[in-house]
Amino acid sequence: MKDYIKIGIEKNLISFNEDMSRITYVFQNKERNFNNPEEKVQAETFLRLILDYNYPESRIKQFVPVTMGREVKEADIVVYEDDMCMSPHILVECKRQEVSEAEYQQAIEQAYSYAFALPCEVKYVWVTSGIKSDYFEVDKNQNTRNQMPDIPQFGVKNVASYKYVYDAQYLPEEAGKQRFFDLAVIDQSELTRRFKQAHEALWAGGQLNPSEAFDELDKLIFCKIWDERKPRRMGEPYDFQIITVPKEVEKSETKRRLIENENLCKRVMALYEEGRKKDREVFRDNIRLTPEKIRTVVSYLESVNLGETDLDSKGRAFETFMGSFFRGNFGQYFTPREIVKFIVDVLPIDHDSKVLDTSCGSGGFLLYALNKVRNKATELYPNYLKDVRQHDRWFKYWHDFAEKNLYGIEISEQISRAAKMNMIIHDDGHTNVITSDGLVSDDTIISRTNNQGFKYGTFDFIITNPPFGSTVRQTEQAYLKTYQLGKKEEDWLAVAARPQETRDGQNTEVLFIEQDYKFLKEGGYLAIVLPDGILTNSSMQYVRTQIEDWFRIVAVVSMPQTAFAANGAGVKSSVLFLKKWTKEQTDKLTFTKKNIETQLLNDNNYITQRLQWDKEIKHQQKQKANEIKSAQNISATDAKKTEEYKLWNADLLAMYADKVDELKNKLTEEYQLTKQKQLPDYPIFMAIAEQIGYDATGKKIAVNELDLIGEELKKFIETL
């Protein structure tokens, strides 16, 4: 997009003071406060009239007095037909970029009141907020307004029914004929504003709630992207724009708008269906907006070139907009990008890697994996923009990865759609993002989605931040019994083996460790964010033991307490990097551990000793009951019900319980010592990050220790 301010300064149309707080319109010699948001829109609109529409500066007046009854107000800009500035031609009303849809509609009425109050006849009205514009042809005599796709350029009388065409910059310019416009590339902040305001315009009237409005906006952004990707000849108009109906075709203003809306709706629906034919998983339901609401969204996005807008800028814009809407109730679906970047950067992911996130949320891990491969493609083919052969290889290198090797599972259908949209905006990678419970079996996922890619034992990398704290219960999910970690752990110090029982419930993050193990290839890497309780609580020792059997522990990187505070979670967490053992290695580890347990039980006569103690307890209990029986002349059964017996028995059981605990602790210590000697010894990378680039509120800070930790961890992984 043109930098109108910079060009205006170069052409001496405007000037500024040193701190850019005051703008001077040179020809009129008027100085204004440039910190006023409306003034910035005013300045750019003034410059566009000269630079895009070719109107002479001498025929443009700003801040023109308008008498409204007893009040005198100012019209922002008036363009005149004559050099004497007596015959007003175009009246322009400028509003700040953040104006609401209701305020914007009020601005249209205000502009009309100014147009009717000015002497002589204003022919056109242009209302703009900088990111949205409406154009009208005015007829004072008949008190009508005819909406147009644009105002006429200088010397042009007839305006086409559309404004934006493909490759407009290469069309020859002819005097007296309209010049069409290309779609504009805009920066991140402006694109974010357009997304936000389009979203607000959808739900502000109360017909949709913010969540529904987000879904519908998602669909229309998809249509916009699809429209830009359609092959077109030079000069062919885009479908995703408001195309007006001439007043000669339909005189009624109301009917014209209805016809325009209906035609726009048909074009948008056609785009939507074309896109859905390629991938039905993107959006399963139809667009549910009225034609008028579709027009509202199109008015915010029709002029933007999403395809050529810088990848990072449009990605950040969508994530910022998406984040501002979903954070709070949906904060768990967003892993801070500093943590995501750290994890993806250290892993040796390349274009041949098959990558999965089993609880992908908004798609952050998948996007960074895609960008990593795309950046590698750019390193390999640096001249891809100039060399056609290089471009084909560059595109194939990363796009094959995006289409065939990038997989995501998200249980929330709404968040899954947002993830897909996020991927599409980043130039694809959405094909294998599915809506499903990430803990069901691979066969279930494949049967429900018909996607053969979700097969256990086929992934090179799993990068994920599973949901913390929620519990999967056996009464709710029958699949719990299929998980090893869904069963109660075997106690090797139990006197009698018991049949393995399914737990009543298990934390989701624990089950995801096992699910990710199943999805990984042997030698594959799992990088997972976990609450520290799994790594430290004694009650979670069975989980740590299972991790030891399944994985080589590569690294543990501790995050600060505030890592997820801005997303509404205060759980202290760490990132665990694991490498899946081969089956032979796991079998050898479990066999060695079993041997150690058996040897210790035999060496310490554990079972014999426990049975002897049980025998002693029963003997002493019988003796005590008989003593009380004789002393009180009651039955042995009644003797055991006396307070004397109960107190004595409690002391007896406590004494033997202490003996059992002492023996168990002795064997447990011996087990740990023996295990350390007999199991393979290997280094583990350990680090504590206290500053990670943002504070508890999510505000950016200068220090990010993950950068240095990541460099060292990457080197460590390369040695494995």
Side-chain angles (χ1 to χ4, degrees):
M1 188 173 184
K2 289 181 184 176
D3 187 338
Y4 289 99
I5 298 299
K6 181 180 178 182
I7 299 171
I9 294 171
E10 292 171 353
K11 292 184 175 291
N12 198 34
L13 298 170
I14 56 174
S15 64
F16 287 89
N17 63 347
E18 287 187 8
D19 64 0
M20 298 288 287
S21 64
R22 307 288 297 178
I23 182 173
T24 298
Y25 298 94
V26 175
F27 184 81
Q28 297 185 63
N29 193 28
K30 284 192 176 182
E31 182 181 309
R32 305 274 291 188
N33 177 15
F34 196 63
N35 289 329
N36 182 343
E38 282 194 9
E39 195 63 42
K40 294 178 180 179
V41 177
Q42 171 103 7
E44 286 204 353
T45 306
F46 164 75
L47 294 169
R48 289 188 64 190
L49 284 164
I50 299 168
L51 301 173
D52 290 345
Y53 293 88
N54 301 322
Y55 282 100
E57 188 181 8
S58 59
R59 291 193 180 184
I60 303 172
K61 283 191 174 184
Q62 294 171 277
F63 325 113
V64 177
V66 180
T67 302
M68 307 281 292
R70 296 182 178 180
E71 289 185 273
V72 177
K73 298 190 176 182
E74 284 187 344
D76 292 326
I77 302 173
V78 178
V79 181
Y80 292 87
E81 284 191 286
D82 59 319
D83 292 332
M84 298 296 292
C85 295
M86 298 298 292
S87 299
H89 186 52
I90 304 168
L91 182 140
V92 185
E93 177 68 17
C94 301
K95 306 303 291 184
R96 69 188 188 283
Q97 286 189 331
E98 291 78 12
V99 67
S100 70
E101 185 65 21
E103 291 172 320
Y104 184 85
Q105 294 304 319
Q106 289 174 4
I108 293 176
E109 300 306 319
Q110 184 179 40
Y112 259 87
S113 65
Y114 289 169
F116 275 71
L118 280 171
C120 301
E121 187 164 330
V122 174
K123 291 187 174 61
Y124 302 97
V125 165
W126 176 10
V127 180
T128 181
S129 66
I131 64 174
K132 177 177 180 175
S133 289
D134 277 285
Y135 314 92
F136 302 91
E137 184 180 21
V138 182
D139 188 332
K140 273 189 181 182
N141 295 325
Q142 297 188 25
N143 193 24
T144 61
R145 61 179 79 174
N146 175 38
Q147 185 144 15
M148 304 175 67
D150 200 0
I151 56 168
Q153 290 129 30
F154 181 68
V156 174
K157 293 184 178 179
N158 298 316
V159 178
S161 59
Y162 52 86
K163 180 175 181 177
Y164 302 103
V165 304
Y166 180 69
D167 271 352
Q169 60 182 318
Y170 300 114
L171 294 173
E173 290 192 34
E174 298 181 48
K177 288 195 175 181
Q178 178 185 0
R179 181 170 64 84
F180 293 100
F181 286 83
D182 277 301
L183 302 179
V185 174
I186 60 177
D187 63 22
Q188 175 193 334
S189 60
E190 183 171 335
L191 186 56
T192 304
R193 277 194 291 270
R194 288 178 187 255
F195 286 155
K196 284 184 177 179
Q197 288 192 254
H199 176 247
E200 288 171 5
L202 286 180
W203 64 264
Q207 293 177 343
L208 299 173
N209 63 43
S211 179
E212 292 169 331
F214 180 87
D215 277 350
E216 296 306 311
L217 178 58
D218 250 5
K219 296 171 189 174
L220 293 187
I221 293 173
F222 172 70
C223 294
K224 169 67 173 164
I225 292 171
W226 194 256
D227 187 39
E228 291 178 21
R229 291 180 180 178
K230 283 181 64 175
R232 281 184 170 82
R233 289 189 291 272
M234 185 190 302
E236 187 177 344
Y238 289 96
D239 293 323
F240 197 90
Q241 65 174 316
I242 297 166
I243 298 177
T244 57
V245 173
K247 62 183 179 182
E248 292 79 15
V249 174
E250 174 54 61
K251 292 182 180 180
S252 167
E253 179 186 332
T254 302
K255 288 182 180 178
R256 277 202 308 273
R257 190 172 184 92
L258 289 173
I259 294 169
E260 290 165 359
N261 290 355
E262 196 58 41
N263 290 342
L264 174 61
C265 183
K266 287 177 182 177
R267 294 195 304 275
V268 168
M269 295 296 183
L271 289 169
Y272 191 59
E273 289 307 316
E274 285 178 34
R276 285 212 293 187
K277 284 176 186 175
K278 184 180 179 184
D279 187 353
R280 287 270 169 195
E281 271 287 314
V282 178
F283 295 107
R284 298 178 183 178
D285 55 342
N286 295 324
I287 294 173
R288 297 183 293 112
L289 295 175
T290 64
E292 184 65 37
K293 286 291 187 181
I294 291 174
R295 182 180 187 135
T296 299
V297 175
V298 169
S299 69
Y300 283 104
L301 301 178
E302 63 180 347
S303 65
V304 179
N305 191 326
L306 286 177
E308 292 185 16
T309 294
D310 171 70
L311 187 63
D312 196 46
S313 293
K314 67 184 175 186
R316 283 174 180 265
F318 186 74
E319 287 176 31
T320 300
F321 157 62
M322 186 168 57
S324 68
F325 170 58
F326 276 116
R327 285 191 210 285
N329 292 338
F330 294 90
Q332 70 270 30
Y333 295 101
F334 293 82
T335 304
R337 55 195 305 138
E338 289 82 359
I339 297 176
V340 174
K341 182 179 184 298
F342 160 69
I343 290 172
V344 174
D345 281 353
V346 302
L347 292 172
I349 296 170
D350 62 29
H351 72 297
D352 290 327
S353 304
K354 192 175 177 185
V355 180
L356 169 66
D357 184 347
T358 44
S359 45
C360 71
S362 61
F365 282 109
L366 302 179
L367 284 174
Y368 270 81
L370 174 57
N371 286 341
K372 180 170 187 169
V373 172
R374 186 159 32 215
N375 290 339
K376 180 64 175 177
T378 303
E379 288 177 22
L380 293 172
Y381 306 105
N383 296 318
Y384 73 95
L385 289 174
K386 300 176 183 177
D387 185 318
V388 174
R389 290 179 65 188
Q390 273 208 18
H391 183 276
D392 290 346
R393 291 172 182 169
W394 169 85
F395 182 80
K396 181 175 175 57
Y397 187 95
W398 69 262
H399 198 267
D400 280 1
F401 171 77
E403 186 177 2
K404 301 171 184 175
N405 287 19
L406 206 53
Y407 290 76
I409 306 171
E410 172 49 50
I411 191 169
S412 163
E413 186 170 341
Q414 186 179 25
I415 303 295
S416 175
R417 282 199 297 269
K420 286 173 178 292
M421 195 68 249
N422 208 0
M423 302 297 286
I424 290 169
I425 280 183
H426 282 81
D427 283 357
D428 243 339
H430 73 282
T431 307
N432 298 305
V433 176
I434 62 165
T435 304
S436 174
D437 182 346
L439 293 171
V440 298
S441 70
D442 60 339
D443 288 339
T444 301
I445 291 174
I446 291 168
S447 66
R448 289 176 182 174
T449 65
N450 200 30
N451 188 321
Q452 301 299 317
F454 289 93
K455 197 74 184 167
Y456 283 156
T458 62
F459 288 90
D460 299 289
F461 296 93
I462 296 178
I463 42 182
T464 191
N465 177 12
F468 298 173
S470 57
T471 301
V472 174
R473 301 198 178 279
Q474 172 62 27
T475 53
E476 298 168 355
Q477 299 291 358
Y479 61 63
L480 184 61
K481 63 186 177 186
T482 68
Y483 279 84
Q484 182 64 33
L485 291 172
K487 298 182 175 72
K488 293 180 180 179
E489 68 273 18
E490 181 183 344
D491 183 3
W492 68 283
L493 292 174
V495 174
R498 64 168 189 250
Q500 201 168 38
E501 299 176 34
T502 301
R503 292 172 176 271
D504 294 333
Q506 180 58 280
N507 291 343
T508 49
E509 62 266 29
V510 172
L511 295 179
F512 269 111
I513 296 171
E514 183 169 345
Q515 180 75 322
D516 294 341
Y517 168 77
K518 293 175 185 175
F519 272 119
L520 274 179
K521 287 180 179 177
E522 292 181 350
Y525 282 90
L526 167 61
I528 185 169
V529 182
L530 290 173
D532 279 1
I534 289 180
L535 308 180
T536 59
N537 290 352
S538 59
S539 63
M540 288 293 182
Q541 179 58 52
Y542 72 99
V543 179
R544 296 192 290 275
T545 299
Q546 193 64 72
I547 289 173
E548 283 180 357
D549 290 349
W550 285 339
F551 300 99
R552 179 205 158 134
I553 301 169
V554 176
V556 182
V557 181
S558 175
M559 297 290 113
Q561 182 78 42
T562 56
F564 293 92
N567 290 4
V571 179
K572 178 76 173 63
S573 60
S574 295
V575 182
L576 202 60
F577 291 84
L578 306 168
K579 188 175 184 181
K580 183 174 178 176
W581 294 123
T582 64
K583 185 179 184 302
E584 290 75 16
Q585 287 170 315
T586 293
D587 289 346
K588 186 177 179 180
L589 285 169
T590 54
F591 179 76
T592 302
K593 288 181 178 181
K594 277 291 181 189
N595 272 352
I596 294 171
E597 291 170 0
T598 302
Q599 189 66 45
L600 287 172
L601 292 173
N602 291 337
D603 290 349
N604 289 272
N605 295 314
Y606 179 77
I607 301 299
T608 302
Q609 181 63 75
R610 287 288 306 273
L611 292 174
Q612 177 61 36
W613 284 340
D614 287 346
K615 188 176 179 181
E616 290 175 9
I617 290 170
K618 289 177 182 177
H619 178 70
Q620 293 184 50
Q621 287 173 333
K622 185 177 181 181
Q623 278 188 324
K624 184 64 176 176
N626 285 333
E627 286 177 16
I628 297 173
K629 172 185 173 183
S630 299
Q632 299 186 23
N633 195 25
I634 57 176
S635 68
T637 302
D638 289 339
K640 291 180 180 180
K641 296 178 182 178
T642 63
E643 196 65 27
E644 178 186 353
Y645 179 88
K646 289 179 182 177
L647 291 172
W648 172 88
N649 190 53
D651 289 340
L652 176 71
L653 293 178
M655 180 183 71
Y656 275 94
D658 287 343
K659 287 183 178 184
V660 171
D661 287 344
E662 185 178 350
L663 181 56
K664 281 186 173 182
N665 289 337
K666 175 177 175 289
L667 289 180
T668 301
E669 288 177 13
E670 288 181 15
Y671 173 80
Q672 294 297 336
L673 290 171
T674 309
K675 190 176 74 167
Q676 287 175 15
K677 292 175 183 177
Q678 294 190 23
L679 293 185
D681 189 21
Y682 57 81
I684 298 174
F685 184 98
M686 307 283 284
I688 298 173
E690 295 179 344
Q691 307 272 0
I692 58 174
Y694 59 92
D695 62 18
T697 67
K699 183 180 178 182
K700 302 293 181 187
I701 59 174
V703 181
N704 185 355
E705 295 169 354
L706 292 178
D707 292 338
L708 178 58
I709 292 171
E711 290 174 15
E712 296 303 315
L713 178 53
K714 187 176 181 180
K715 293 175 189 174
F716 179 80
I717 290 174
E718 288 171 353
T719 66
L720 300 181

